[in-house]
Amino acid sequence: MKIGVLALQGDFEEHISVLTKLGADASDVRLPEQLDDLDGLIIPGGESTTIARLLARWQLLSPIRRRALEGMAVWGTCAGAILLAERATGLDREGLRLMDIAVERNAYGRQVDSFEAELSVPAFGSRPFHAVFIRAPRISEVGAKAMPLACLADGTVVAAQQDKLLATAFHPELTDDARFHQHFLALAAASPPATIRETESQAATGVRRPA
Amino acid sequence: MPAQDGNGASQANETGTWKVKTGLAQMLKGGVIMDVVTPEQATIAEEAGACAVMALERVPADIRADGGVARMSDPEVISRIIDAVTIPVMAKCRIGHLVEAQVLEALGVDYIDESEVLTPADEAHHVNKHPFKVPFICGCRDLGEALRRIGEGAAMMRTKGEAGTGNIVEAVRHMRTVWDSIRKLQTMPEEELMAEAKELGAPLELVRETRSLGRLPVVNFAAGGVATPADAALMMQLGADGIFIGSGIFKSEDPAPRAHAVVQAVTHFQDAKIIAEVSRGLGEPMRGLELSQIPEEELLAKRGW
């Protein structure tokens, strides 16, 4: 299983370290040709404005979109989730616009408001997932093509999935719980694309959409 | 916020934890943090791809030239810079000046740099950084100094270099010194660690942790003297997690293209062809100072312990 981690800026080393522990063949991606034989791509945490500029400068937007449409799995954590969203408030550059979700950048406040919390992820069973949110974006809308996957205690949606695309507002690469990475590796291995039907989504994930 | 939602999630959200403090530094990795003195400069930095800005009244080159006591910037300047950009904003307090630190936290800065570039307020003690919700970054010249600051609660480090000189030699010395000591720890038998901790003047637990990680326990950027894209890439190849550039941008002939080029060089720090390409036609870098021309008592890196 070949997984690339976008290494333009951000905590890509942390993702590579988790992937390597799980036995995946993980590599840095800085240029378009490094996307060619990947089963999956992770867009890490970092500054979304910085990464968006570098994606455009190194002509990575179109090749990533094309590979995603060909079935490459893509997972964005925090900044990566902003870049995956079709609608991103507060991002001044073009993102990948692959996922039918809306996100608001820095929606929880400044660094002093960054927090840790226990998440409910019904798809992973009853054990909560301990998550780290850093100047995190809010997933304000999960469209019909995507489905919510995880939420805070008050029901706020913090992760979403659409076929082989995954967005998390938090950083599973900063904690020792590898369930999101394992979930992503399973998505990357799935062929044909892992589609969950809209009618099944509520039952499948057990998380309600944002109101 | 409800304590329990029936789905298994519980507990209130926890802010100001060590994880979120060190975590923001991890998000800045592979990036460039630029010194700015006006909202306009902050916008140029963000536009060029900076991952954060350091809000200041004067860049280190001017602090060095002007002399006098250098203090925390006017809150008005800091607030205007916070309002001008969406990326994280850092600001500097004097070494040991806990009230300047409290003021910066109240202003909502994302990181406080307890910095030797300003005139120290306390010659014996640094700020106790643990009680703050906002994270701190501090400078170091060697491993012992880095671990003392982390022991006091610094969630991010930077090598000091010699700020405001445009001369990379001290940054290189400090980065190499830190890594040499880490490599030495890794080859040392367990029973020698206590003596080494004594020698370094560092907490034993942090010495152990550094040895087992094979790196500093927190993110470590390079600072002090970066003036060109090649300087920035050099520090990355020497093991920096990212780069601070102060006077090097806004004391150069044409700041915006230089800022953009430094960002590209940090991302592609191992690709000499790209560094060559982005370094073309940037105009004059800042003038720069030979270290031997600076009187001993004016060396900023010697401040703090």
Side-chain angles (χ1 to χ4, degrees), chain A residues 8-11 13-14 30 46-47 49-50 53-54 58 93 105-106 110-111 115-117 120 135 153 174, chain B residues 5 7 13-14 17 19-20 23 26-29 46-47 49-51 86-88 108 110 264 267-268:
Chain A
L8 298 173
Q9 189 271 323
D11 71 336
E13 284 174 340
E14 284 76 351
R30 291 182 176 84
E47 272 309 308
T49 52
T50 302
R53 280 159 175 73
L54 290 161
W58 299 99
R93 283 290 197 282
R105 226 178 127 226
N106 298 337
R110 303 196 67 84
Q111 171 61 14
F115 62 97
E116 297 182 52
S120 160
R135 286 174 48 99
L174 295 186
Chain B
D5 75 339
N7 265 336
N13 300 342
E14 244 195 307
T17 62
K19 198 78 177 175
V20 301
Q26 287 171 280
M27 298 313 135
L28 299 173
K29 285 168 71 176
E46 183 174 49
E47 193 54 43
C51 66
T86 63
I87 55 179
D110 297 295
Q264 312 309 313
T267 291
H268 295 286

Side-chain angles (χ1 to χ4, degrees), chain A residues 66-106:
Chain A
R66 193 186 65 240
R67 294 285 292 113
L69 293 174
E70 288 167 6
M72 177 180 74
V74 187
W75 173 20
T77 58
C78 192
I82 296 169
L83 293 162
L84 275 180
E86 270 180 19
R87 301 170 291 283
T89 313
L91 183 66
D92 63 351
R93 283 290 197 282
E94 188 182 0
L96 292 162
R97 296 186 181 149
L98 282 165
M99 275 185 85
D100 187 11
I101 57 173
V103 298
E104 265 174 71
R105 226 178 127 226
N106 298 337

